[in-house]
Amino acid sequence: MNTYLRHILQPFIWLRRFRHRRGYGVHSPFAFNLITNVIYEGAPYYKYVSLVLAEERQAAKAGKDWMYETRRAKRLLFRLVNYSQPRMIIDAGTLSASALYLQAGKTSAAYVPVTSPANLKIKGTKADFLYLHNYRDPAFCEEMFRKCAEHANARSLFVIEGIHASQTMRGLWKAVQEDSRVSVTFDLYDMGLVFFDPSKCKQNYIVNF
């Protein structure tokens, strides 16, 4: 879905998901904590200011397309990395300003940018954090998910952008939810969060983000 159309539909999407706001009706302590203290966290992290300055400097060099994600989405990525504390961050798609936020979430994590599934090399269960953001190429997303899921572990968190961007992406998101390795998923409309912890019951949460 292009940015203009997404902006036009925003009020209707928000109203349709209104009852799924801020953890309303969620009984799982894990899910409620993630929704209220990570997804909806509104505290001004100290790194936000420096990140804005850094991405503006990079945009001046790379062009405006480098900053295509919303600031809200980039800050959520920062919080998700900070929450999950991964050893490895796989950034799969066209490199953009979100790379700064991913790396700032945990500076000691290995950061692996990937623009082609053929270039991804992982040993063992080290796919701790995947940001998959190339929804205009569903085949790329499907292949990247497949390869990374083979190396996921109980601590892994995958973030998939554009899960409702097209019929093909909606089909991929359904397949991800049904994958036997996946336990809990969160549908934020513009992106989906995927967990692989086998100790948690299989469940999909809709979040009005």
Side-chain angles (χ1 to χ4, degrees):
M1 183 184 297
N2 64 54
T3 303
Y4 176 75
L5 182 58
R6 177 67 175 86
H7 178 73
I8 295 297
L9 294 178
Q10 174 64 40
F12 302 98
I13 295 169
W14 188 87
L15 285 172
R16 191 175 65 186
R17 292 175 162 240
F18 180 72
R19 67 187 180 91
H20 300 290
R21 65 199 184 281
R22 298 191 178 276
Y24 180 78
V26 174
H27 302 292
S28 162
F30 157 73
F32 186 80
N33 175 66
L34 183 77
I35 293 170
T36 58
N37 295 324
V38 182
I39 296 173
Y40 279 111
E41 172 60 62
Y45 282 81
Y46 71 96
K47 287 189 177 181
Y48 283 169
V49 174
S50 61
L51 282 167
V52 169
L53 295 174
E55 65 178 307
E56 288 177 348
R57 286 194 298 268
Q58 284 293 102
K61 300 176 183 178
K64 65 179 182 179
D65 290 342
W66 197 74
M67 298 175 64
Y68 79 91
E69 296 119 331
T70 65
R71 184 159 293 171
R72 181 180 68 158
K74 288 179 287 194
R75 288 181 173 181
L76 175 58
L77 289 170
F78 170 88
R79 295 195 300 273
L80 288 170
V81 172
N82 185 263
Y83 163 80
S84 61
Q85 290 292 296
R87 297 162 296 178
M88 174 185 286
I89 300 169
I90 301 170
D91 186 359
T94 303
L95 296 184
S96 59
S98 57
L100 299 173
Y101 288 76
L102 291 168
Q103 293 175 81
K106 187 183 179 186
T107 56
S108 62
Y111 172 75
V112 182
V114 181
T115 56
S116 169
N119 297 334
L120 180 63
K121 300 292 186 291
I122 309 176
K123 293 182 179 180
T125 54
K126 293 183 179 179
D128 293 330
F129 192 100
L130 167 67
Y131 177 41
L132 184 50
H133 57 113
N134 193 4
Y135 61 84
R136 293 177 181 84
D137 186 353
F140 170 91
C141 294
E142 183 177 8
E143 179 66 9
M144 282 300 306
F145 176 81
R146 184 190 65 77
K147 293 191 73 171
C148 290
E150 291 174 355
H151 299 276
N153 57 70
R155 298 172 58 246
S156 293
L157 167 55
F158 289 8
V159 181
I160 305 175
E161 185 193 30
I163 58 173
H164 292 282
S166 66
Q167 184 175 351
T168 306
M169 285 301 297
R170 287 192 291 273
L172 174 60
W173 176 240
K174 182 178 180 182
V176 167
Q177 291 175 288
E178 294 174 350
D179 191 297
S180 61
R181 295 163 296 190
V182 171
S183 56
V184 183
T185 55
F186 293 81
D187 179 341
L188 279 60
Y189 193 84
D190 288 324
M191 61 176 63
L193 312 183
V194 184
F195 290 86
F196 294 80
D197 187 348
S199 70
K200 294 179 172 57
C201 295
K202 202 170 187 67
Q203 178 75 42
N204 178 61
Y205 295 94
I206 296 175
V207 182
N208 187 22
F209 178 65

